[in-house]
Amino acid sequence: MEQPRTSHPQRRQRPQAPLSQGPLSPQSALADRPVLYGVRPARPAPPFAQLLRRLPAPRLTGLGAGLFALVAMVLIGSVDWLLFDGSAVVYGVLFLPVCALTALWVREADLVTAPIGVPIAFAAGIVPIAGGEGGIGGQVMAVVTALAVHAGWLYGGTLVAGVITSVRKVRQMSRRKRRIRAAGTAAGAPPAGRR
């Protein structure tokens, strides 16, 4: 009479790479990992994204971001007046990165202030290059004329700040949703879509 088998069959183990071949390549290292269905292995970020992550990322309040843009544009306008004789193209081109940095550096609670603060900074910085004669009235007319003539740069910079803050807001909302969903599943509640 045969005895029933009481031990479970053992799994076959994969052959190990010989030590003489050196370390495993990234593809073979990924192949040896256990497969989790529905979870993709993390891919390395593109080089441009890695460069952006290395940049300083201060978190300014709404007032701080507005002051940063204001001071930067007044300095740019003054340097433009001294070195480039008040070139509107130089001023406009340098306005765009100031808008991007303002939108990137403002903290998430004050995202709405970036697209509001950059046009004010543009108007304040254009005073040195606007020209104008004849006292305060002539100076004000020159600034208003410069704002009307160079409105394309103003709209472009405001659009840059608006797009960046909108993307940051959407990412913040998706992170918040994931956190709420994870807290709900950790507490034992069914996910929102399966009730």
Side-chain angles (χ1 to χ4, degrees):
M1 184 171 180
E2 285 186 35
Q3 295 278 336
R5 198 177 214 185
T6 57
S7 65
H8 298 289
Q10 294 183 356
R11 292 186 203 168
R12 291 184 184 173
Q13 295 196 4
R14 292 185 190 161
Q16 296 291 329
L19 294 176
S20 62
Q21 290 182 353
L24 296 175
S25 68
Q27 288 82 11
S28 63
L30 286 176
D32 288 342
R33 283 192 201 164
V35 177
L36 299 175
Y37 294 102
V39 178
R40 295 181 182 163
R43 293 185 299 178
F48 182 70
Q50 291 176 358
L51 177 69
L52 286 178
R53 287 180 187 157
R54 286 188 210 136
L55 289 175
R59 289 294 167 232
L60 302 172
T61 63
L63 180 62
L67 285 174
F68 162 74
L70 184 78
V71 169
M73 291 316 298
V74 168
L75 284 174
I76 288 171
S78 301
V79 169
D80 183 21
W81 176 70
L82 287 171
L83 298 179
F84 302 105
D85 200 30
S87 170
V89 174
V90 171
Y91 182 77
V93 166
L94 293 176
F95 175 62
L96 298 178
V98 169
C99 292
L101 288 176
T102 303
L104 286 171
W105 288 351
V106 70
R107 64 183 184 169
E108 289 183 344
D110 298 326
L111 284 174
V112 73
T113 60
I116 295 169
V118 292
I120 297 169
F122 184 87
I126 210 164
V127 171
I129 65 171
E133 298 173 4
I136 302 249
Q139 198 58 260
V140 168
M141 269 322 277
V143 168
V144 169
T145 304
L147 286 174
V149 170
H150 308 300
W153 292 112
L154 176 63
Y155 294 147
T158 307
L159 181 67
V160 166
V163 167
I164 290 173
T165 54
S166 298
V167 168
R168 286 186 62 198
K169 186 66 175 176
V170 167
R171 290 181 67 194
Q172 176 193 11
M173 290 176 5
S174 67
R175 278 195 309 265
R176 186 178 295 160
K177 274 185 183 178
R178 272 184 277 162
R179 251 186 262 128
I180 290 172
R181 196 176 302 138
T185 55
R194 298 183 183 176
R195 289 184 183 177

